[in-house]
Amino acid sequence: MSLESRLAELPARPGVYLMKNEKGEIIYIGKAKLLNKRVRSYFDGREKNGHRAAQLMLPHICDIEWIITESEAEALILEANLITKHFPFYNVRQKDDKHFPYLMLTMQEQFPRLRITRHSGNDKNLYFGPFVSSHYMRLLLDLIPQLFKLRECKLKFPLTPNLARKINPCLNFHIGRCEAPCVKMVSEEVYLKGVREAKLLLEGKRDDILAEWEKDMKAAAAEMRFEDATKIRDRIKAVQASFAKQNADVANTELSLDVVAIVRAKKDGDSSISVATVVIIEYRNGVIFDRRHFHLESRLEHSESEILGEFLPQWYLSVPKENLPREIALEYLLGDVQNGLGTDSDEEISEELPQTLSHKTSSSEPAIENDEQQAFEEFLSKLAGRRVLVGVPLRGDKIGYLRIARANAEMLLVELQAKAAKYDEMNNSIFELQRQLKLQNPPYCFECFDISHLGGTEPVASMIRFVNGKPSKSEYRKYKVKIAVGGDDFGSMHEILTRRLTRLLSENAKLPDLLVMDGGKGQVDVAFSVLEELNLTDIPVIGLAKRLEEIVFPREKPSILLKRNNPALQLLQRARDEAHRFAINFQRERRKKTLR
């Protein structure tokens, strides 16, 4: 069926459309208030409606499907779910596409515990997160058993009679991190009181729990239970110390707000791709609760507003409803092709506009909104089971919060670009090495070997592996020379290379793209003889002689000298020095053991 006939069948209903290429692969997913108008506008050249994407996608669109929904808000939910499931080529996507971790209180268990999970479920357990900062998550994971004596074991309660007779309290009981419900050292009622307090802390209600503890501490002191009062005081101090860095308090202690900022730029080396950093700063109960950041990539000329309009529904679908804010402050109106208020993305947010969020709270307040923003607000309100306000702050405190979020986004985007530049530099050194050595394939994975001994005693060898221009330390290996004796460097190299390559062949593991010897012509010829014996002469081998830093080849091929600032030579030097360091350290360890 032709595209023209498919376009003619489009209904005047809200829904989601899926564009496919000639292979039937989904390349783009979008939503619409009216499917017929939205989809047809891709093909009629109306760039004023913001469909610059059509120029890029149009040659690849061979079929269109759609799913009708009852409302635009339902279309928004369906679009977010389908993008997460299919990851279309032209949709905005997270660069790492990973699942951020949650903390889960296992309320389905008789004695709940706190553990890490990668997915939130629709069950009786309580989920907190997702956490972008693993440091903050680990802090809570360590602090909560310490404060509330929650168990960290994987025992399943109720225990079987046989297990109950055999079990003894573990180390956590003896160091005061657990009250040992496994041996009935604590009642279920008292244990669940600790669980309720842990829940308050995880929800960010620190002031509530601190006030309750202070009341308990004073009561214990009045009853002359000074030991109990001291324990409660220590818990209060532990919470205050652990969250001291988060006390960026705001005036409104009831504030439940997410502040969202975005900065984007063209990808270095590929102007057809935009990279963007989104920062979400979460304020809960008047303090900064968390800062989340996401690196996004788009192959279309999306504006900041369009990127947020596509990304935010996907993000908030993953957030448990009890963690959703009451307000969300944005820099731009969602889906506004002219970047929200029409200002350049590099201009500062104006302070001259009236102080409010731009949602309609009364007829007297100014309202800057559009259909997509209203649909997003309805979508969030449905997720949360209560109203969630979404808008562009125009003046006042929220402008300051947005400036903080934007400064964070700018900083993180610069860091991302610096990492990308460093990665490109590494890639350049790999390609330069391929060019200088006249290799058939780029040496993305190469291994460097070195022999070390002291006057012929305790001979050892090292093997280090570089992958994509960087050390892969988990794949380093060190060897004790078993057959070659004395200071026989050539015999040692023959033995170690034979052991290494034979092991790789027996395990059917990936062979290196290049072998590098720390040494000259003799070491390289020995290495080549091993390759001949194992029928692996398709693996190139070179040596790096230290005196002149010349690159040596096997047999009669002449050596070459590269300039000191050549990135290929510098890459080889880093690998050679790392192999030498690794071998020397191992040799010293062996000598120390011998002296003992």
Side-chain angles (χ1 to χ4, degrees):
M1 188 178 291
S2 65
L3 275 178
E4 290 78 8
S5 59
R6 293 293 285 167
L7 292 174
E9 294 174 358
L10 285 161
R13 297 278 302 276
V16 173
Y17 53 92
L18 298 85
M19 295 181 171
K20 298 184 176 183
N21 60 15
E22 59 182 2
K23 297 179 181 178
E25 299 168 338
I26 299 172
I27 60 174
Y28 187 75
I29 296 173
K31 66 182 179 308
K33 188 174 183 179
L34 295 174
L35 282 166
N36 57 347
K37 290 185 178 181
R38 176 73 169 180
V39 178
R40 285 172 187 165
S41 65
Y42 280 88
F43 298 88
D44 62 12
R46 287 180 289 160
E47 289 194 11
K48 64 183 179 181
N49 286 343
H51 298 302
R52 301 181 303 280
Q55 298 178 6
L56 296 171
M57 290 194 302
L58 197 56
H60 306 289
I61 300 172
C62 295
D63 190 17
I64 301 170
E65 292 183 4
W66 55 86
I67 303 169
I68 295 172
T69 60
E70 288 295 322
S71 65
E72 192 177 3
E74 286 185 15
L76 194 63
I77 296 172
L78 181 59
E79 179 200 34
N81 282 322
L82 289 174
I83 290 174
T84 303
K85 180 179 179 181
H86 296 287
F87 297 112
F89 186 75
Y90 286 110
N91 281 96
V92 174
R93 63 175 68 188
Q94 277 184 237
K95 288 177 68 62
D96 49 7
D97 286 336
K98 67 183 178 184
H99 293 285
F100 292 107
Y102 294 81
L103 286 177
M104 179 176 73
L105 262 178
T106 58
M107 302 303 291
Q108 290 180 329
E109 297 180 336
Q110 183 183 3
F111 294 97
R113 59 194 174 99
L114 191 67
R115 69 181 190 87
I116 299 172
T117 180
R118 286 280 170 181
H119 300 276
S120 61
N122 186 19
D123 51 34
K124 294 180 181 179
N125 295 321
L126 296 177
Y127 296 87
F128 304 91
F131 292 89
V132 175
S133 168
S134 61
H135 171 76
Y136 179 55
M137 181 190 68
R138 297 285 176 186
L139 182 150
L140 289 171
L141 196 62
D142 179 66
L143 182 67
I144 284 173
Q146 176 187 334
L147 292 176
F148 306 107
K149 316 301 181 190
L150 301 192
R151 67 188 183 95
E152 297 174 78
C153 62
K154 297 179 181 178
L155 289 175
K156 293 183 179 180
F157 290 86
L159 301 177
T160 62
N162 285 339
L163 183 58
R165 282 196 298 268
K166 296 176 183 177
I167 203 161
N168 290 312
C170 65
L171 178 63
N172 279 352
F173 169 75
H174 297 290
I175 63 174
R177 286 179 66 92
C178 178
E179 293 185 319
C182 54
V183 290
K184 300 182 179 179
M185 299 291 285
V186 62
S187 68
E188 187 173 350
E189 181 182 354
V190 172
Y191 187 91
L192 292 178
K193 181 178 183 292
V195 172
R196 287 192 294 271
E197 291 177 342
K199 177 176 173 289
L200 287 175
L201 186 63
L202 288 165
E203 289 173 344
K205 299 175 181 177
R206 295 192 296 278
D207 291 342
D208 294 351
I209 196 169
L210 289 175
E212 185 178 333
W213 283 352
E214 285 182 7
K215 183 179 176 182
D216 292 344
M217 181 179 66
K218 290 175 181 177
E223 297 171 7
M224 302 186 72
R225 292 184 289 110
F226 298 118
E227 188 175 343
D228 292 342
T230 301
K231 288 180 181 178
I232 297 172
R233 180 204 63 191
D234 292 343
R235 291 164 74 184
I236 292 172
K237 286 184 177 180
V239 171
Q240 290 172 338
S242 298
F243 294 96
K245 291 182 180 179
Q246 286 192 292
N247 285 337
D249 293 356
V250 296
N252 181 5
T253 58
E254 299 297 320
L255 184 66
S256 174
L257 171 73
D258 279 5
V259 179
V260 182
I262 178 172
V263 178
R264 70 182 173 106
K266 291 291 185 183
K267 186 174 183 178
D268 291 339
D270 191 345
S271 59
S272 67
I273 299 177
S274 294
V275 291
T277 296
V278 176
V279 165
I280 302 176
I281 297 182
E282 299 177 354
Y283 293 85
R284 300 292 185 271
N285 299 103
V287 299
I288 294 179
F289 183 69
D290 202 359
R291 186 202 77 175
R292 309 181 188 276
H293 67 273
F294 309 88
H295 296 306
L296 310 176
E297 197 171 89
S298 171
R299 295 183 178 273
L300 302 179
E301 296 179 25
H302 285 114
S303 68
E304 285 88 344
S305 303
E306 291 171 308
I307 291 173
L308 288 178
E310 198 168 307
F311 167 70
L312 288 179
Q314 297 177 53
W315 165 248
Y316 282 110
L317 267 177
S318 70
V319 177
K321 71 175 185 178
E322 60 270 15
N323 293 350
L324 289 170
R326 295 190 176 278
E327 296 179 75
I328 297 177
L330 307 171
E331 286 185 285
Y332 307 108
L333 290 173
L334 296 183
D336 191 336
V337 180
Q338 301 302 320
N339 282 339
L341 297 175
T343 60
D344 189 270
S345 61
D346 293 329
E347 292 179 12
E348 288 198 1
I349 304 165
S350 173
E351 290 185 319
E352 303 303 320
L353 299 166
Q355 178 179 0
T356 182
L357 265 178
S358 63
H359 46 69
K360 288 182 179 178
T361 53
S362 71
S363 58
S364 61
E365 288 185 359
I368 306 173
E369 53 187 23
N370 56 20
D371 290 342
E372 183 155 347
Q373 188 123 329
Q374 288 177 343
F376 181 58
E377 188 171 299
E378 185 181 338
F379 155 77
L380 286 173
S381 300
K382 188 174 290 187
L383 285 181
R386 53 175 165 76
R387 190 176 182 196
V388 177
L389 303 176
V390 182
V392 178
L394 303 177
R395 193 175 65 189
D397 292 340
K398 294 186 180 70
I399 288 290
Y401 306 155
L402 266 176
R403 283 208 180 92
I404 293 171
R406 185 174 179 83
N408 276 268
E410 289 171 347
M411 174 193 69
L412 291 165
L413 184 60
V414 168
E415 289 178 4
L416 176 68
Q417 291 172 322
K419 286 180 182 177
K422 188 174 181 180
Y423 181 78
D424 290 342
E425 182 183 331
M426 290 175 181
N427 269 349
N428 289 338
S429 64
I430 292 171
F431 294 130
E432 176 65 12
L433 185 60
Q434 179 191 13
R435 189 177 71 83
Q436 293 290 349
L437 301 183
K438 297 180 173 57
L439 301 177
Q440 186 174 356
N441 299 308
Y444 290 117
C445 170
F446 67 87
E447 295 179 353
C448 185
F449 294 81
D450 187 27
I451 304 294
S452 179
H453 57 82
L454 183 64
T457 62
E458 297 293 342
V460 298
S462 68
M463 185 283 296
I464 62 99
R465 174 175 276 209
F466 269 47
V467 177
N468 294 328
K470 296 190 297 184
S472 178
K473 295 194 176 184
S474 64
E475 299 182 271
Y476 284 14
R477 297 292 181 268
K478 47 193 177 184
Y479 300 89
K480 289 187 287 185
V481 178
K482 298 177 180 178
I483 300 174
V485 294
D488 185 2
D489 284 0
F490 297 158
S492 299
M493 187 65 75
H494 187 283
E495 176 190 336
I496 298 307
L497 273 174
T498 303
R499 285 164 58 185
R500 171 63 179 169
L501 294 173
T502 304
R503 178 71 175 268
L504 291 177
L505 289 172
S506 66
E507 295 177 350
N508 199 26
K510 175 178 171 52
L511 293 168
D513 301 316
L514 172 70
L515 294 178
V516 181
M517 304 297 115
D518 181 8
K521 192 76 173 173
Q523 283 86 349
V524 174
D525 284 342
V526 168
F528 189 75
S529 69
V530 173
L531 294 174
E532 285 182 322
E533 291 169 12
L534 299 175
N535 196 26
L536 294 174
T537 51
D538 54 331
I539 300 177
V541 58
I542 63 167
L544 188 61
K546 186 171 287 187
R547 191 170 67 85
L548 297 175
E549 301 288 42
E550 62 179 328
I551 298 175
V552 181
F553 298 92
R555 299 298 185 253
E556 304 303 322
K557 188 175 179 180
S559 60
I560 61 173
L561 285 170
L562 300 180
K563 291 183 178 180
R564 294 282 177 169
N565 62 354
N566 187 289
L569 176 62
Q570 291 173 345
L571 178 61
L572 290 175
Q573 287 173 327
R574 286 200 302 273
R576 187 266 317 278
D577 294 345
E578 181 72 348
H580 188 66
R581 177 194 67 80
F582 201 49
I584 286 287
N585 287 344
F586 184 42
Q587 212 275 331
R588 285 173 180 162
E589 290 174 12
R590 297 288 304 161
R591 288 208 315 270
K592 286 178 182 177
K593 287 183 179 179
T594 303
L595 291 173
R596 288 174 193 159

